[in-house]
Amino acid sequence: MATLSLFLFLSLLISAFNFAESQSFIGVNYGQVADNLPPPGATANLLKSTTIGKIRLYGVDGAIIKALAGTGIGIVIGAANSEIPALASDPNAATGWVNSNVVPYYPASNIMLITIGNEVMMTMDQGLISQLLPAMRNVQNALNSASLGGKVRVSTVHSMAVLSQSDPPSSGSFNPVFQDSLRGLLAFQKDNGSPFTVNPYPFFAYQSDPRPETLAFCLFQPNSGRVDSGNGIKYMNMFDAQVDAVRSALNAMGFKDVDIMVAETGWAYNGDNNEVGPSIENARAYNGNLIAHLRSLVGTPLMPGKSVDTYIFALYDENLKSGPASERAFGLFKTDLSMTYDVGLSKTSQTPSTTPTYPSPKPTAAGWCVPKAGVSDAQLQANLDYACGQGIDCGTIQPGGACFEPNTVSSHAAYAMNLYFQNSAKNPGNCDFAQTATLTSTNPSYNACTYPGGGT
C-alpha cells in the first residue's frame, strides 16, 4: 500500500500494549530555580501516577533522589559547569563526588546517568571546553572504582548550536570549531556506551520562522511535509528533522553506534506580548503530539522502529528564572500538583485532545468527519500520516482490510480522518486538519466499509 506503510501499522499495533505502564523513553526535566516547589515526596508520588519513566536533575538533590528510591524511575544527575575544573584536575575530587552523590543512593534510587556540564561548548571558554573530557574520564574512573561502571554512565549535554548545518537533516554536521573536542568526547562515549545528549527545541525553530506552515510542522499537526533534498525522505515534523540532523552529524564523524538522548525539549504555554509561539493550545499540541509520537515507536526516518529517550522540559514552572516570561512557563504541572494542561501522562487518562481547542459547538454523538472538496493529495497524505500516527487502528485501510479499496489517498485519508475524530471525543476541533475537513450528517460508508460515527 503506497499511502500507509505496513511498518507504521505494525508499530502502532505494538504501541497499544505500552500505554498502561511507565515508559522508559518518556522523561521530564526537574528544574529547581524556584522557591515554591512541592515537597520531594509529593513530587515522587506525582511521578508515580504518570507514565513518566525518567527524571533529569540539573545538579544533585539528595532529598528528591531519596524520595524516588524504590520507584524504579530512572534518574539523571548533573555536575555544574563550575565543578568541571576540579573534576578534571583532581581524580580524588571525582572520587569524592561519586562517593557523595551516587554511592549513598544507588541502587535503591535508580541513578542511570551523570551529565558533566550543560552546553559547555556554547560558553566558548576554551579552557573549560578542554577540561570537559578529563572531567568525564575521572568521573567514569571513579564509577569503575565503586563497581558502578556500566551501571551509571557519563555524558554531557549539548545545544543544537553545536551543529553548523541541520537543514536538510541529511546534511547535519558539527561546527568545525567544536569538531576536535567533540571527536574526543564521542570516542570516550562510544567506549563507555553513553548517549550523545542534546537539546532540540522546535519552539525556538518556530520563533525564528513564524509562518503557519512552520507552526504545523513544529506541532506534529497536518502539513505538507518537507522533503530532504539529500536523500528524498519526507519529514512530517520538526522534532524528527532536528534529531536526524544530529544523527547525520554523528554518522559523518564515524560514530554511527553512539545513541542519541534528547535531554530537553518543550513548549512554553505563556510568554510576553512580543513573543511568538507561547500558548496553552500550542504547548498542549506539541507535548501531547510528541508523547503520542514516542509511544507509536515509529522512530525517526533515520532511526526507525524505536523511540529516542526524550526528557520534556519541564515538570514544574521555575518562578525565579530570569529572561522573557516564557522562561517561567514550561511546566507540565503546577506546583499545587494539578496539570497545567493534559497531555495524556496520567496512568488513568492517556487520550487527551492534543490539537488546539476551538470555541465551537458542543461535541455531538452524530456525524462523520470527511475531507473538504478540492483538497490536494499532498495535504490528504499529510492528514493520513498524522491521523494514523496518533495511535488509531488504521488496519482497516491496509491490504485485505474492509476499506482498502479503492486504494487511493483520498479514500484512505477520509477513513483515517474520521476515525481520528471519532476517537477524540468527537470534538469539532478535532475535525479541522488545517481547515481541510468538515463534519457531515451523510454516512460515507460504502459496500463492506463501515465508517464509525453517526448515532453509533
Side-chain angles (χ1 to χ4, degrees):
M1 176 181 172
T3 55
L4 183 68
S5 69
L6 180 60
F7 171 78
L8 174 59
F9 167 63
L10 292 174
S11 297
L12 294 171
L13 185 63
I14 292 169
S15 71
F17 297 98
N18 293 327
F19 273 24
E21 301 177 355
S22 295
Q23 289 148 337
S24 63
F25 45 79
I26 298 176
V28 69
N29 286 272
Y30 180 64
Q32 295 177 282
V33 187
D35 60 5
N36 60 348
L37 296 175
T43 293
N45 287 333
L46 172 65
L47 291 171
K48 287 190 291 184
S49 73
T50 72
T51 57
I52 294 169
K54 296 174 181 175
I55 186 171
R56 177 187 169 216
L57 311 181
Y58 289 83
V60 179
D61 183 329
I64 189 68
I65 294 172
K66 283 182 180 178
L68 292 170
T71 64
I73 293 171
I75 305 169
V76 178
I77 60 175
N81 290 2
S82 60
E83 297 178 89
I84 291 174
L87 294 173
S89 62
D90 185 2
N92 290 327
T95 298
W97 197 97
V98 168
N99 287 341
S100 296
N101 298 318
V102 182
V103 173
Y105 309 111
Y106 186 91
S109 296
N110 185 23
I111 298 172
M112 307 172 65
L113 183 70
I114 300 169
T115 56
I116 307 299
N118 189 49
E119 299 189 353
V120 174
M121 299 295 169
M122 293 301 100
T123 68
M124 302 305 291
D125 181 337
Q126 293 305 314
L128 187 65
I129 292 171
S130 68
Q131 293 173 309
L132 180 55
L133 180 55
M136 292 169 66
R137 283 178 174 154
N138 283 342
V139 171
Q140 183 65 61
N141 289 337
L143 289 168
N144 294 343
S145 297
S147 300
L148 294 175
K151 299 174 183 176
V152 181
R153 303 187 189 278
V154 178
S155 187
T156 186
V157 178
H158 299 284
S159 161
M160 281 292 291
V162 296
L163 274 67
S164 59
Q165 180 75 26
S166 61
D167 186 25
S170 64
S171 70
S173 60
F174 292 115
N175 191 320
V177 172
F178 305 130
Q179 282 193 10
D180 287 344
S181 297
L182 287 171
R183 189 171 284 108
L185 293 172
L186 288 166
F188 165 84
Q189 293 184 250
K190 177 182 177 180
D191 291 343
N192 291 282
S194 67
F196 182 84
T197 59
V198 66
N199 298 338
Y201 272 94
F203 173 68
F204 296 124
Y206 172 62
Q207 289 190 321
S208 66
D209 179 19
R211 295 175 296 159
E213 56 265 38
T214 303
L215 181 61
F217 189 66
C218 288
L219 297 182
F220 299 83
Q221 291 178 334
N223 64 90
S224 58
R226 299 183 181 182
V227 177
D228 187 317
S229 59
N231 55 21
I233 291 173
K234 188 175 188 179
Y235 283 84
M236 299 308 301
N237 66 80
M238 181 67 78
F239 179 83
D240 282 357
Q242 290 185 329
V243 172
D244 273 0
V246 176
R247 181 73 273 160
S248 294
L250 290 169
N251 293 355
M253 285 188 69
F255 294 98
K256 295 182 179 181
D257 46 0
V258 172
D259 288 334
I260 295 171
M261 183 186 100
V262 172
E264 280 185 31
T265 191
W267 200 285
Y269 66 83
N270 190 29
D272 293 321
N273 290 336
N274 63 346
E275 290 190 83
V276 177
S279 72
I280 287 281
E281 292 80 9
N282 288 347
R284 179 170 54 233
Y286 178 73
N287 287 318
N289 289 334
L290 170 63
I291 290 166
H293 183 55
L294 295 172
R295 285 175 175 160
S296 76
L297 303 182
V298 170
T300 73
L302 296 186
M303 295 180 290
K306 65 175 183 177
S307 291
V308 173
D309 282 1
T310 299
Y311 292 73
I312 298 172
F313 187 85
L315 183 58
Y316 304 118
D317 290 341
E318 295 175 86
N319 68 322
L320 298 182
K321 271 197 165 183
S322 59
S326 60
E327 286 292 318
R328 297 175 291 283
F330 277 86
L332 295 171
F333 293 89
K334 299 177 183 178
T335 52
D336 65 3
L337 305 179
S338 64
M339 295 178 187
T340 307
Y341 48 86
D342 188 4
V343 291
L345 285 172
S346 170
K347 287 180 178 176
T348 59
S349 174
Q350 296 190 32
T351 55
S353 168
T354 56
T355 52
T357 47
Y358 299 84
S360 49
K362 295 289 185 181
T364 173
W368 294 264
C369 179
V370 296
K372 291 179 179 178
V375 178
S376 69
D377 278 358
Q379 182 62 57
L380 290 172
Q381 181 68 58
N383 294 352
L384 172 63
D385 292 342
Y386 174 77
C388 290
Q390 302 307 302
I392 63 173
D393 182 4
C394 288
T396 306
I397 52 176
Q398 287 284 337
C403 300
F404 175 66
E405 297 292 348
N407 182 16
T408 63
V409 173
S410 59
S411 177
H412 293 165
Y415 182 87
M417 292 162 65
N418 178 68
L419 184 58
Y420 172 76
F421 165 69
Q422 302 296 337
N423 285 7
S424 301
K426 301 182 183 180
N427 186 321
N430 293 324
C431 183
D432 180 79
F433 290 92
Q435 301 182 355
T436 65
T438 186
L439 287 171
T440 180
S441 59
T442 302
N443 191 340
S445 301
Y446 60 92
N447 300 334
C449 176
T450 301
Y451 277 55
T456 62

